[in-house]
Amino acid sequence: MNLNDLNEKIISILNEAEIKEAELEAFYIIEHGMELSRPMFFLKKKDRVSEQDINDCIAIAQKRRQHVPLQYILGTQEFMGLNFKVTSDVLIPRQDTEGLVEEVLKYIRPGMKVLDMCTGSGCIAVSIAKYAENVQVSAVDISRKALEIARENAEANHVQVNFIESDMFQQIAQTYDMIISNPPYIKSHVVAALMPEVRDYEPHLALDGKEDGLYFYRKLARESGKFLVPGGMLCLEIGYDQGPDVAKMLQEQGFLKVRVKQDLCGLDRNVYGNMPE
Ligand code: GLN
C-alpha cells in the first residue's frame, strides 16, 4: 500500500462515520501516526508505507470512527501558537477562547496579578504567562486531574503559573488586577444534545452551567469583586445567547463599563466589566 492508498483508506473510514472534515483529519492522522510533515506528505504520496505505519494510522482512524475527538486521541491541541496536552479530564481549548486571550493581553500591564478561574488545560493562564511581560498568573480549577494537566502545560511551555485547587473562590485569599474565566456555560438539558464528540468525551464538569447555564456567571458576578483591586477587570467568555443576562448581572453587582463583545462570526462571545476605582 502506498501513502496515497493509506490516505484514501483513512478518508473512507472517516467518511463512513460521517466525520465532517475527513480529508483534513486524515492528514493529521498520517502526520502524527508517521511523523510526517506536510511537504513530505505530498512528496511521498507514491512511496510504499511500512506495515507498522499502516497499522498505527488505521488504529487512530478506528478510534476516531467512534467519535473520540482527534485531540484526545493524539493528546494535543494547539492554542495561541502553543501546544497543549489534552486528556478527557480537560476541555479541548477552542479557537473562540483565543479571542478572549488576545483581548485581555491588550489590557495587561507589567507587574499585574491575573487569575484564570476554571483553568482546565491551563490554556488561558499559560498563554498569558507566555505572552504578557512580567505578570503573576494564578489559575484555579476544582478538578485535581485538570490541574495536573495544566501544570504539565505550564512546564512544557516554560512558564510559571501558580495553580490552586479550589471550588471557584473558596480557597482564594488574594486580590488581582484581572480575573478571566471561560466557565462551564451549557444548560444541563442541552449538554445531552451536543455532538457526540463533546457529549460523550469532553468532561461534563467543564461544560455544564447547570439549569439555565448561568450558574457560574452568577457566582463570578457576585464574588469576583471581593478578589479584584479597585478598577480591576473581569473578563468572561460566554455563550452566544448569554450576553444580555451576563451584562445585567455584572451591572447589578456594581461593575462599571460593562461591555459585550462579538466574535469573528458576529455573535456575542465576551463580557468585560471593571470594579469602581
Ligand atoms: N479555561 C479552559 C478553556 O478555556 C477550560 C474551560 C472550562 O473547563 N470550562 O479551555
Side-chain angles (χ1 to χ4, degrees):
M1 185 183 270
N2 66 26
L3 184 56
N4 198 49
D5 300 330
L6 175 62
N7 188 40
E8 294 294 324
K9 186 167 168 74
I10 293 171
I11 293 173
S12 82
I13 293 174
L14 301 181
N15 276 334
E16 261 172 46
E18 294 179 17
I19 307 285
K20 279 199 199 94
E21 299 200 71
E23 286 192 22
L24 185 64
E25 292 210 10
F27 167 70
Y28 287 139
I29 291 173
I30 289 174
E31 180 189 39
H32 196 271
M34 294 179 55
E35 289 174 34
L36 203 64
S37 67
R38 190 151 196 132
M40 289 313 266
F41 173 74
F42 289 107
L43 279 173
K44 292 190 159 204
K45 272 201 153 175
K46 296 223 165 86
D47 289 9
R48 287 197 75 74
V49 184
S50 72
E51 282 297 309
Q52 182 68 53
D53 282 343
I54 294 173
N55 292 342
D56 290 350
C57 292
I58 298 289
I60 298 174
Q62 298 290 11
K63 273 196 212 155
R64 184 67 189 101
R65 174 196 218 155
Q66 325 279 314
H67 291 268
V68 182
L70 192 59
Q71 294 93 331
Y72 288 150
I73 304 172
L74 305 182
T76 172
Q77 168 66 36
E78 195 237 72
F79 181 84
M80 293 293 291
L82 306 171
N83 283 323
F84 286 83
K85 174 178 171 176
V86 290
T87 68
S88 53
D89 288 313
V90 298
L91 196 80
I92 297 165
R94 303 296 204 267
Q95 218 176 355
D96 293 321
T97 309
E98 294 184 336
L100 173 66
V101 173
E102 279 162 15
E103 186 69 16
V104 302
L105 283 171
K106 295 182 194 162
Y107 294 94
I108 293 179
R109 300 284 171 265
M112 278 191 173
K113 283 169 64 187
V114 173
L115 180 74
D116 173 21
M117 180 56 82
C118 309
T119 196
S121 65
C123 61
I124 296 175
V126 170
S127 315
I128 289 172
K130 189 79 187 177
Y131 295 117
E133 240 173 89
N134 188 24
V135 288
Q136 280 182 50
V137 183
S138 298
V140 169
D141 208 283
I142 192 174
S143 157
R144 186 168 295 177
K145 285 185 173 166
L147 286 171
E148 277 169 25
I149 305 293
R151 244 185 221 113
E152 281 186 46
N153 283 326
E155 252 172 56
N157 287 294
H158 312 289
V159 295
Q160 276 263 322
V161 175
N162 171 35
F163 290 102
I164 305 163
E165 185 180 334
S166 174
D167 181 358
M168 298 300 282
F169 292 99
Q170 268 180 24
Q171 306 298 324
I172 305 303
Q174 300 189 16
T175 55
Y176 298 86
D177 298 284
M178 190 181 264
I179 296 174
I180 304 163
S181 186
N182 175 25
Y185 59 69
I186 316 276
K187 293 185 187 92
S188 298
H189 74 273
V190 174
V191 172
L194 294 173
M195 61 196 283
E197 275 80 352
V198 181
R199 181 194 63 209
D200 298 341
Y201 298 100
E202 295 209 80
H204 285 201
L205 190 63
L207 295 168
D208 192 338
K210 314 228 179 189
E211 207 158 304
D212 65 356
L214 297 169
Y215 176 85
F216 294 99
Y217 298 115
R218 236 171 249 120
K219 279 209 159 184
L220 283 155
R222 269 196 221 122
E223 295 178 37
S224 56
K226 281 181 262 162
F227 302 95
L228 280 168
V229 300
M233 188 170 170
L234 178 62
C235 311
L236 304 172
E237 180 170 322
I238 56 158
Y240 70 95
D241 56 353
Q242 294 173 324
D245 286 330
V246 175
K248 188 159 167 257
M249 281 177 205
L250 297 199
Q251 279 154 351
E252 282 172 1
Q253 295 297 327
F255 281 88
L256 305 176
K257 294 190 270 180
V258 175
R259 56 247 184 235
V260 179
K261 292 250 181 164
Q262 285 75 37
D263 61 18
L264 296 172
C265 305
L267 300 170
D268 287 353
R269 180 58 68 189
N270 299 111
V271 182
Y272 303 94
N274 288 75
M275 288 303 286
E277 293 283 347

